[in-house]
Amino acid sequence: MTANDVNAAAKQSFDLVITNVHIATMDSAIDDTYGTVLNAALGIKNGKIAWCGNAADFPEFDSLQTPVVNGHGKWITPSLIDCHTHIVCAGNRANEFEMRLNGASYQEIAAQGGGIISTVKATREADHEALFVSAKDRLNALLNEGVTTVEIKSGYGLDLDSEIKMLEVAEQLNQHHPIDVQKTFLGAHALPPEYKNKADDYITLVCDEMMPKVAELNLADAVDAFCEGVGFSNEQTRRVFDAAKKHNLPVKLHAEQLSNLQGAQLVAEYNGLSADHIEFLDEAGVVAMAQANTVAVLLPGAFYFLRETQLPPIELLRKHKVAMAIATDFNPGTSPICSVQLMLNMACTLFRLTPAESLAGVTVNAARALGLTDRGVIKVGLNADFVLWDIDSPAQLSYQYGVNPLKGLWKDGQQLK
């Protein structure tokens, strides 16, 4: 072996190197709210982060054979994660929005076929292609903002065939779109019209027919339900969770949005991934979530669109060290907002999160809310999913909205933007 061969062997091999950047790693092991590494470099190999640290310490590599990106002093963060959406659906409810602003009541809108049932009707009537095309457009909007992982729920079918159709479309998006899609079965979202006044019978359908088929087809990564006075009771939700347990599916819950039915305690009892909305969450629920490591998913878009006044208990969540995630809750009725960047700002302005908390909410904590351990942090061994932003500090991502600072986006080490 020649001296040149020895020197070449000593060099570390990378598929991509990023230099001249600052990195908000979101790694709690780094003693900084953003896990900051200034004057940094990043090495990518086989779709994973192979090296991260100060550029002065970067190992020797073959610069002639390795693509090198100069970040020109910009910032890198983990790519963003939208951990609660209803992106697969048909129709819209702009007419209801207008009716409400012209003074119509909820009952008047419902009497004219409005409300969630209008979305159910449209979604049942839509075919796979129509649902795929509309959902793809929404995913594209999120991708343009630096999102590379999205959770998509069913729940606008409310019968076996339509729920399966929604989840099949979500899987098609996962296969044919750059964004990774996590699929959640939300059969217990609302009571379909054919089961009016028969909620227990409908839950039996969800548990005994829908869920076994969803599990058989491997169409869900998790199971969700809506535990609320206008949704399903605590006991009905427990039946859904028991069925999910039989099929080895983790659970999460729409909980404490409009009242406190102790849904957060229930989902924590099942070691649930997350409790979402949680405006009416009390300290007992927070403590239960802390003990179960259940993530609190905050949904400022719905809070804003519904003009709610009951704030989630942010101080209690901080006190008990419950991880807080943030998501769009995109849906046609209560949060028709498809922008994670706007959620960053809303989380700060409406819920008074700090910019560091809000960024953690769409990266590391959003990954935790989906049960994902391979992303959400810039750390050796994790997925090379990251964004290059033209910003002066990470706080700028929460501070400003409307001018997209994204300058580069990578998923599994491959550049998408």
Side-chain angles (χ1 to χ4, degrees), residues 47-90:
K48 303 290 185 181
I49 297 166
W51 198 93
C52 176
N54 192 282
D57 300 322
F58 199 80
E60 188 177 359
F61 67 100
D62 189 344
S63 59
L64 295 178
Q65 299 296 322
T66 307
V68 178
V69 174
N70 186 334
H72 299 287
K74 298 178 174 59
W75 279 83
I76 280 177
T77 72
S79 62
L80 309 186
I81 298 170
D82 194 351
C83 65
H84 181 133
T85 85
H86 305 256
I87 274 175
V88 173
C89 60

Side-chain angles (χ1 to χ4, degrees), residues 4 8 24 48 52 74 134 136 169 186 195 202 211 259 277 286 317 329 331 344 355 358 360 393 397 400 415:
N4 286 338
K48 303 290 185 181
C52 176
K74 298 178 174 59
S134 61
K136 182 187 70 173
V169 170
L186 180 57
Y195 278 85
Y202 178 66
M211 202 174 313
S259 63
H277 286 291
V286 174
L317 294 169
D329 189 21
N331 74 85
L344 287 169
S358 69
S393 73
L397 294 173
Q400 177 177 267
Q415 188 164 9

Side-chain angles (χ1 to χ4, degrees), residues 33-57:
T33 53
Y34 296 101
T36 303
V37 181
L38 297 176
N39 305 312
L42 202 59
I44 310 303
K45 182 71 175 179
N46 297 326
K48 303 290 185 181
I49 297 166
W51 198 93
C52 176
N54 192 282
D57 300 322

Side-chain angles (χ1 to χ4, degrees), residues 42-315:
L42 202 59
I44 310 303
K45 182 71 175 179
N46 297 326
K48 303 290 185 181
I49 297 166
W51 198 93
C52 176
N54 192 282
D57 300 322
F58 199 80
E60 188 177 359
F61 67 100
D62 189 344
S63 59
L64 295 178
Q65 299 296 322
T66 307
V68 178
V69 174
N70 186 334
H72 299 287
K74 298 178 174 59
W75 279 83
I76 280 177
T77 72
S79 62
L80 309 186
I81 298 170
D82 194 351
C83 65
H84 181 133
T85 85
H86 305 256
I87 274 175
V88 173
C89 60
N92 71 78
R93 283 148 67 181
N95 62 320
E96 297 177 26
F97 178 65
E98 186 171 27
M99 288 171 68
R100 282 200 306 273
L101 292 173
N102 282 314
S105 68
Y106 177 84
Q107 290 79 7
E108 289 170 332
I109 292 171
Q112 296 184 41
I116 191 172
I117 297 305
S118 67
T119 301
V120 171
K121 182 176 184 294
T123 302
R124 286 179 174 181
E125 292 173 352
D127 60 18
H128 283 71
E129 182 179 2
L131 291 172
F132 180 92
V133 169
S134 61
K136 182 187 70 173
D137 289 342
R138 295 162 191 149
L139 286 184
N140 288 342
L142 293 172
L143 185 71
N144 288 336
E145 291 196 347
V147 176
T148 60
T149 301
V150 170
E151 185 247 26
I152 298 179
K153 304 178 190 292
S154 67
Y156 288 126
L158 307 184
D159 62 35
L160 176 60
D161 290 344
S162 301
E163 287 291 300
I164 294 295
K165 176 177 65 177
M166 292 184 70
L167 292 168
E168 286 175 341
V169 170
E171 178 55 28
Q172 289 166 358
L173 291 163
N174 185 47
Q175 293 176 11
H176 299 291
H177 195 280
I179 284 179
D180 277 349
V181 172
Q182 294 289 299
K183 307 176 298 296
T184 297
F185 171 54
L186 180 57
H189 189 198
L191 196 62
E194 58 268 27
Y195 278 85
K196 185 177 181 180
N197 299 321
K198 296 189 294 183
D200 285 333
D201 291 344
Y202 178 66
I203 291 298
T204 297
L205 176 71
V206 168
C207 297
D208 294 353
E209 294 188 36
M210 291 188 187
M211 202 174 313
K213 190 64 175 179
V214 167
E216 176 191 338
L217 297 174
N218 195 29
L219 285 175
D221 302 296
V223 170
D224 196 352
F226 185 29
C227 184
E228 190 55 76
V230 297
F232 298 96
S233 70
N234 191 292
E235 186 53 41
Q236 288 162 346
T237 302
R238 181 181 293 277
R239 290 177 59 195
V240 174
F241 285 177
D242 284 338
K245 188 176 181 179
K246 290 179 183 177
H247 295 286
N248 297 312
L249 289 168
V251 296
K252 55 181 64 180
L253 189 63
H254 288 62
E256 274 73 90
Q257 180 183 9
L258 305 173
S259 63
N260 189 349
L261 296 186
Q262 289 78 53
Q265 293 180 62
L266 177 62
V267 74
E269 180 184 333
Y270 285 79
N271 293 309
L273 294 172
S274 68
D276 303 31
H277 286 291
I278 61 168
E279 281 88 339
F280 285 83
L281 179 64
D282 60 16
E283 188 161 14
V286 174
V287 169
M289 291 173 64
Q291 292 173 343
N293 291 317
T294 298
V295 177
V297 178
L298 308 176
L299 304 172
F303 180 90
Y304 159 82
F305 194 77
L306 294 173
R307 300 168 67 187
E308 296 287 358
T309 57
Q310 176 75 26
L311 290 165
I314 303 300
E315 287 303 327

Side-chain angles (χ1 to χ4, degrees), residues 374-388:
D374 59 358
R375 66 198 72 186
V377 179
I378 304 292
K379 187 175 183 179
V380 170
L382 301 192
N383 290 358
D385 300 352
F386 57 94
V387 190
L388 180 66

